[in-house]
């Protein structure tokens, strides 16, 4: 039975996704640095058998978050883009291994000069409501990206006044400045093709909750707090999808997700905890395949220099040396995590190792004393709701308390975090950078 992995994106430096194997009983494969559907040599022992409860011809996937919208240009969460990748198609996409940009809905694309990009799209593409997709929809997608709270800065280079569509299949994008990573951003899942006509009919809220796209699936239902269900798109321009139905269940807590997987309630889970990856590699989870992929993201602890105590370099250095980063990565991510030694991941162009901060609490106390905060300091650490980020925040909180810094953790939704970030009201923040092999995205 064919199983389609919707997306392989990552948080720190590696992602793991666990899929049930529908073949004979087998030993758990070892973790690989590249995706692979073939189980490798297992280890001795008989893991518990998997008792599948989902229907044949369907795929049920457990996510650690619920999307805020199914309009990809306005979404901020990986789950939203993962679901959207089944409902929509991109104009361009990036090969995750080579970083090469290739056309999906684009039949061809080329820069005719430094300030002009011409894209010709396929002429057999229809949205799921039966309306033909045209180059004007590419222009509309660019316009939506230009007003996105997350991506607008990446499209300030577009000269919309002089961008035009000479025919229904061609768009000529003009630029007001040379911007090297534009193709990488336009190949991001957020840049999926949207319908101008349907948006004008349904409005922003209608599009967000009941979208139309050109992808292989359509939205059947979205039950808030529970699941999204997708079914085949009968108007799909490409090869018919293998599955009749895809269900994405929202199970935020990692232990609950794993229990649901092991008891057969879902066919796959995304973003495993380090402990569960280690269990998988130890052969404790039967009839399963572990997919891993070297990620293009680096997770970081950001310090806002606009907040007075953090303007002092010694305070920032004190925090950096107060955390045992290697122990944090091992505790939170296990064998799936790699300690970052650069602002770029190892597979990224121009990567250079600059080392890590040595764990030295005594030096941290000395630096804090020199900065005038020897009697203590109070800080707020803002994080999202992802289990790995919350766990990392808890470890940082405990380690900083040992040098006299009291940390309050505030776990917020992506919308709340964006508002706080844009209004410069964060102090400490755990987040990710990147998402592409192009260093311009960092």
């Amino acid at each position: 039975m064919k199983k389609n992995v919707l997306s392989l994106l990552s948080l720190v430096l590696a992602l793991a996704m666990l899929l049930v194997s529908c073949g004979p009983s087998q030993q758990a494969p070892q973790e690989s640095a590249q995706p692979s559907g073939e189980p490798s040599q297992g280890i001795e022992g008989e893991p518990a058998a998997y008792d599948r409860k989902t229907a044949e011809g369907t795929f049920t996937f457990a996510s650690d978050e619920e999307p805020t919208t199914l309009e990809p240009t306005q979404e901020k969460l990986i789950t939203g883009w993962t679901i959207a990748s089944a409902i929509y198609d991109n104009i361009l996409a990036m090969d995750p291994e080579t970083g090469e940009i290739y056309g999906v809905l684009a039949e061809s694309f080329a820069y005719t000069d430094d300030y002009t990009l011409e894209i010709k799209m396929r002429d057999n593409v229809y949205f799921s409501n039966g309306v033909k997709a045209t180059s004007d929809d590419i222009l509309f997608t660019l316009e939506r990206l230009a007003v996105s709270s997350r991506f607008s800065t990446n499209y300030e280079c577009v000269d919309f006044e002089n961008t035009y569509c000479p025919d229904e299949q061609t768009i000529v994008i003009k630029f007001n400045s040379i911007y090297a990573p534009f193709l990488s951003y336009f190949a991001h899942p957020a840049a999926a093709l949207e319908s101008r006509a349907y948006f004008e009919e349904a409005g922003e809220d209608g599009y967000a909750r009941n979208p139309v796209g050109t992808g292989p699936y359509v939205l059947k239902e979205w039950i808030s707090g529970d699941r999204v269900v997708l079914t085949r798109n009968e108007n799909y321009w490409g090869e018919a999808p293998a599955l009749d139905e895809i269900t994405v269940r929202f199970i935020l807590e990692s232990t609950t997700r794993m229990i649901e997987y092991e008891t057969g309630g879902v066919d796959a889970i995304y973003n495993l905890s380090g402990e569960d990856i280690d269990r998988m590699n130890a052969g404790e989870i039967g009839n399963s395949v572990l997919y891993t992929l070297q990620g293009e993201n680096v997770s970081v602890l950001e310090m806002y220099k606009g907040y007075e105590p953090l303007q002092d370099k010694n305070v920032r250095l004190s925090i950096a040396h107060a955390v045992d980063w290697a122990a944090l990565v091992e505790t939170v991510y296990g064998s799936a995590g790699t300690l970052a030694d650069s602002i770029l991941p190892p597979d990224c162009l121009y990567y250079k190792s600059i080392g890590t901060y040595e764990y030295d609490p005594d030096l941290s106390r000395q630096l804090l004393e020199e900065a005038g905060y020897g009697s203590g300091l109070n800080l707020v650490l803002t994080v999202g709701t992802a289990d790995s980020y919350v766990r990392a925040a808890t470890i940082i909180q405990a380690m900083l308390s040992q040098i006299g810094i009291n940390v309050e953790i505030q776990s917020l939704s992506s919308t709340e975090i964006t508002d706080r970030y844009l209004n410069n009201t964060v102090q400490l923040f755990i987040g990710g950078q990147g998402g592409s092999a192009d260093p311009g995205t960092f």
Side-chain angles (χ1 to χ4, degrees):
M1 177 184 296
K2 183 179 180 181
K3 290 293 184 185
N4 290 339
V5 178
L6 297 181
S7 177
L8 289 176
L9 303 173
S10 63
L11 285 176
V12 182
L13 289 177
L15 162 133
M17 185 174 191
L18 200 56
L19 285 172
V20 60
S21 168
C22 297
S25 178
Q26 61 191 30
Q27 299 297 327
Q30 299 298 309
E31 181 183 359
S32 167
Q34 299 295 333
S36 171
E38 297 299 325
S40 59
Q41 181 65 40
I43 62 175
E44 294 184 359
E46 290 295 331
Y50 176 91
D51 181 21
R52 181 179 186 184
K53 297 175 183 177
T54 56
E56 293 295 323
T58 69
F59 181 81
T60 302
F61 169 73
S63 172
D64 61 348
E65 58 191 3
E66 180 173 3
T68 61
T69 173
L70 288 180
E71 185 189 2
T73 60
Q74 308 305 307
E75 178 58 302
K76 306 177 183 71
L77 301 178
I78 289 176
T79 293
W81 295 322
T82 301
I83 296 171
S85 70
I87 298 173
Y88 299 84
D89 288 310
N90 270 56
I91 298 98
L92 305 176
M94 177 184 288
D95 185 304
E97 295 184 17
T98 66
E100 179 184 0
I101 306 294
Y102 62 92
V104 180
L105 295 180
E107 194 170 64
S108 65
F109 62 98
Y111 280 95
T112 57
D113 60 50
D114 288 344
Y115 295 90
T116 308
L117 172 65
E118 182 175 288
I119 299 176
K120 292 185 178 293
M121 70 179 298
R122 300 173 183 271
D123 65 0
N124 63 333
V125 178
Y126 291 81
F127 289 102
S128 57
N129 60 357
V131 176
K132 187 175 182 180
T134 70
S135 54
D136 183 61
D137 295 308
I138 299 179
L139 177 56
F140 175 69
T141 301
L142 284 168
E143 291 169 353
R144 292 298 292 159
L145 288 163
V147 297
S148 164
S149 62
R150 175 159 182 169
F151 297 103
S152 59
T153 55
N154 302 326
Y155 293 89
E156 292 176 348
C157 60
V158 178
D159 180 0
F160 283 98
E161 184 176 344
N162 292 301
T163 294
Y164 64 99
C165 301
D167 57 58
E168 286 194 345
Q169 308 310 130
T170 308
I171 183 171
V172 178
I173 303 172
K174 291 288 188 175
F175 298 95
N176 50 45
S177 61
I178 296 174
Y179 188 52
F182 177 80
L183 288 179
S184 296
Y185 280 117
F186 204 43
H188 188 279
L193 187 72
E194 297 185 9
S195 168
R196 184 190 296 275
Y198 180 72
F199 186 92
E200 292 175 349
E201 172 189 328
E204 185 166 5
D205 292 341
Y207 210 122
R209 296 291 302 190
N210 189 30
V212 302
T214 64
Y217 290 90
V218 297
L219 179 67
K220 179 180 178 180
E221 63 178 356
W222 180 356
I223 301 175
S224 296
D226 185 25
R227 65 184 182 272
V228 158
V229 181
L230 310 176
T231 57
R232 291 174 187 262
N233 176 9
E234 300 302 330
N235 290 316
Y236 185 51
W237 59 273
E239 182 181 351
L243 298 167
D244 299 324
E245 189 171 278
I246 297 173
T247 299
V248 181
R249 294 178 54 192
F250 313 129
I251 306 175
L252 276 59
E253 207 279 315
S254 61
T255 301
T256 306
R257 281 198 309 277
M258 196 66 205
I259 291 172
E260 193 66 13
Y261 175 79
E262 292 190 79
T263 55
V266 298
D267 301 311
I269 56 174
Y270 165 79
N271 209 8
L272 279 70
S273 69
E275 291 91 336
D276 288 328
I277 291 173
D278 292 341
R279 288 178 57 220
M280 178 70 184
N281 289 330
E284 297 175 14
I285 304 172
N287 295 347
S288 299
V289 178
L290 179 66
Y291 288 77
T292 63
L293 178 69
Q294 182 73 24
E296 304 293 356
N297 284 23
V298 175
S299 288
V300 295
L301 174 66
E302 299 182 24
M303 308 180 201
Y304 178 53
K305 290 175 64 177
Y307 183 61
E308 184 176 352
L310 296 174
Q311 292 175 1
D312 192 313
K313 182 179 179 180
N314 280 347
V315 173
R316 301 195 302 274
L317 284 172
S318 174
I319 293 171
H321 286 289
V323 178
D324 187 338
W325 300 106
L328 184 153
V329 171
E330 173 63 28
T331 301
V332 176
Y333 299 101
S335 59
T338 302
L339 181 61
D341 58 2
S342 170
I343 61 170
L344 301 176
D347 289 347
C348 192
L349 185 66
Y350 304 125
Y351 160 80
K352 180 181 180 180
S353 174
I354 58 174
T356 60
Y357 288 98
E358 181 182 358
Y359 176 52
D360 191 339
D362 291 335
L363 175 60
S364 291
R365 295 186 188 94
Q366 176 186 331
L367 291 167
L368 206 59
E369 181 73 35
E370 292 174 2
Y373 295 98
S375 60
L377 176 63
N378 297 319
L379 294 172
V380 174
L381 173 54
T382 303
V383 295
T385 57
D387 180 68
S388 57
Y389 280 2
V390 174
R391 293 179 65 197
T394 302
I395 293 171
I396 291 171
Q397 178 188 50
M399 291 184 174
L400 292 184
S401 71
Q402 299 302 307
I403 66 165
I405 297 179
N406 300 310
V407 174
E408 176 190 349
I409 298 172
Q410 295 184 1
S411 179
L412 306 176
S413 70
S414 61
T415 301
E416 293 171 311
I417 289 174
T418 299
D419 290 342
R420 180 173 291 190
Y421 208 83
L422 293 176
N423 290 316
N424 296 322
T425 56
V426 294
Q427 296 174 15
L428 302 178
F429 172 66
I430 296 178
Q433 298 185 50
S436 149
D438 189 327
T441 62
F442 284 80

